[in-house]
Amino acid sequence: MRPISELIIHCSATPEGKNFTARDIDRWHKQRGWRGIGYHYVVLLDGTIQEGRPLRQIGAHVRGHNRGTIGICYIGGVAKDGRTAKDTRTPAQKRALLEICKRLTRKFPSIQKVTGHNQYAAKACPSFDVRKDPLGSLV
Ligand SMILES: [Zn+2]
């Protein structure tokens, strides 16, 4: 296993209430010419946690910060208009995000922080401030 120091949270940038899965994201990322889904986990609207890229493989989710990190993506992040950034997490998704992050911090004690994509890029993703969320104070 590669060394892990950080979990980075993302959204799929899909409209509120629309149900997509890791398989959809895998297809979208292949269309971009990647070898497949760039995230390691995907959290569906109902809180189901799906596995994406295997953990032992470096992800493709934050330019310059893929080494040493795990990418976790929840489905949503955009309002129903399809454009406006919005924290669309369902209660089940909030619980599932906490659960997967807790599980990973226990499995990899080397993890030092949980952050959001928007801390590394001028992007809205994941459409909330992880630092002000319970996720940001897990470690
Ligand atoms: Zn992102």
Short mmCIF file of all heavy atoms in Angstrom, two decimals, residues 9-11 39 61-62 117 123 125-126, ligand 1:
data_model
loop_
_atom_site.label_atom_id
_atom_site.label_comp_id
_atom_site.label_asym_id
_atom_site.label_seq_id
_atom_site.Cartn_x
_atom_site.Cartn_y
_atom_site.Cartn_z
N ILE A 9 -12.11 15.59 -0.14
CA ILE A 9 -13.53 15.43 -0.45
C ILE A 9 -13.88 16.17 -1.75
O ILE A 9 -13.43 17.29 -1.97
CB ILE A 9 -14.39 16.00 0.71
CG1 ILE A 9 -13.94 15.43 2.07
CG2 ILE A 9 -15.88 15.73 0.45
CD1 ILE A 9 -14.11 13.94 2.22
N HIS A 10 -14.73 15.51 -2.53
CA HIS A 10 -15.21 16.07 -3.80
C HIS A 10 -16.73 15.90 -3.92
O HIS A 10 -17.33 15.13 -3.18
CB HIS A 10 -14.59 15.31 -4.99
CG HIS A 10 -13.12 15.41 -5.07
ND1 HIS A 10 -12.49 16.34 -5.85
CD2 HIS A 10 -12.14 14.69 -4.48
CE1 HIS A 10 -11.18 16.19 -5.73
NE2 HIS A 10 -10.94 15.20 -4.90
N CYS A 11 -17.27 16.59 -4.93
CA CYS A 11 -18.64 16.30 -5.35
C CYS A 11 -18.59 15.92 -6.83
O CYS A 11 -17.61 16.20 -7.51
CB CYS A 11 -19.55 17.51 -5.14
SG CYS A 11 -19.14 18.93 -6.18
N TYR A 39 -11.63 8.83 -8.47
CA TYR A 39 -11.89 8.81 -7.02
C TYR A 39 -11.79 7.39 -6.47
O TYR A 39 -12.07 6.42 -7.18
CB TYR A 39 -13.31 9.32 -6.71
CG TYR A 39 -13.67 10.63 -7.36
CD1 TYR A 39 -14.69 10.70 -8.30
CD2 TYR A 39 -13.01 11.80 -7.02
CE1 TYR A 39 -15.05 11.90 -8.89
CE2 TYR A 39 -13.35 13.01 -7.61
CZ TYR A 39 -14.37 13.05 -8.55
OH TYR A 39 -14.72 14.25 -9.13
N HIS A 61 -7.73 13.16 -8.90
CA HIS A 61 -8.83 13.99 -8.40
C HIS A 61 -8.41 15.40 -8.04
O HIS A 61 -9.23 16.31 -8.09
CB HIS A 61 -9.55 13.31 -7.22
CG HIS A 61 -8.66 12.85 -6.11
ND1 HIS A 61 -8.53 13.58 -4.96
CD2 HIS A 61 -7.86 11.78 -5.99
CE1 HIS A 61 -7.68 12.93 -4.17
NE2 HIS A 61 -7.25 11.85 -4.76
N VAL A 62 -7.15 15.64 -7.68
CA VAL A 62 -6.68 17.01 -7.42
C VAL A 62 -5.30 17.17 -8.04
O VAL A 62 -4.35 16.50 -7.63
CB VAL A 62 -6.56 17.33 -5.91
CG1 VAL A 62 -6.16 18.78 -5.72
CG2 VAL A 62 -7.85 17.06 -5.18
N HIS A 117 -11.53 19.77 -2.12
CA HIS A 117 -10.89 20.14 -3.38
C HIS A 117 -10.70 21.66 -3.48
O HIS A 117 -9.68 22.14 -3.97
CB HIS A 117 -11.77 19.62 -4.52
CG HIS A 117 -11.14 19.67 -5.87
ND1 HIS A 117 -11.78 19.21 -6.99
CD2 HIS A 117 -9.93 20.15 -6.30
CE1 HIS A 117 -10.99 19.40 -8.05
NE2 HIS A 117 -9.87 19.96 -7.65
N LYS A 123 -12.07 26.26 -7.33
CA LYS A 123 -13.27 25.54 -7.73
C LYS A 123 -14.22 25.52 -6.55
O LYS A 123 -13.79 25.67 -5.41
CB LYS A 123 -12.93 24.07 -8.06
CG LYS A 123 -12.10 23.91 -9.31
CD LYS A 123 -11.78 22.45 -9.55
CE LYS A 123 -11.07 22.31 -10.89
NZ LYS A 123 -11.60 21.30 -11.73
N CYS A 125 -16.03 22.82 -5.80
CA CYS A 125 -16.00 21.43 -5.32
C CYS A 125 -15.35 21.33 -3.94
O CYS A 125 -14.24 21.85 -3.78
CB CYS A 125 -15.23 20.57 -6.33
SG CYS A 125 -15.05 18.86 -5.85
N PRO A 126 -15.95 20.72 -2.95
CA PRO A 126 -17.20 19.93 -2.97
C PRO A 126 -18.47 20.73 -2.63
O PRO A 126 -19.43 20.16 -2.15
CB PRO A 126 -16.92 18.86 -1.92
CG PRO A 126 -16.11 19.61 -0.88
CD PRO A 126 -15.28 20.61 -1.65
ZN ZN B 1 -13.31 17.90 -6.90
#
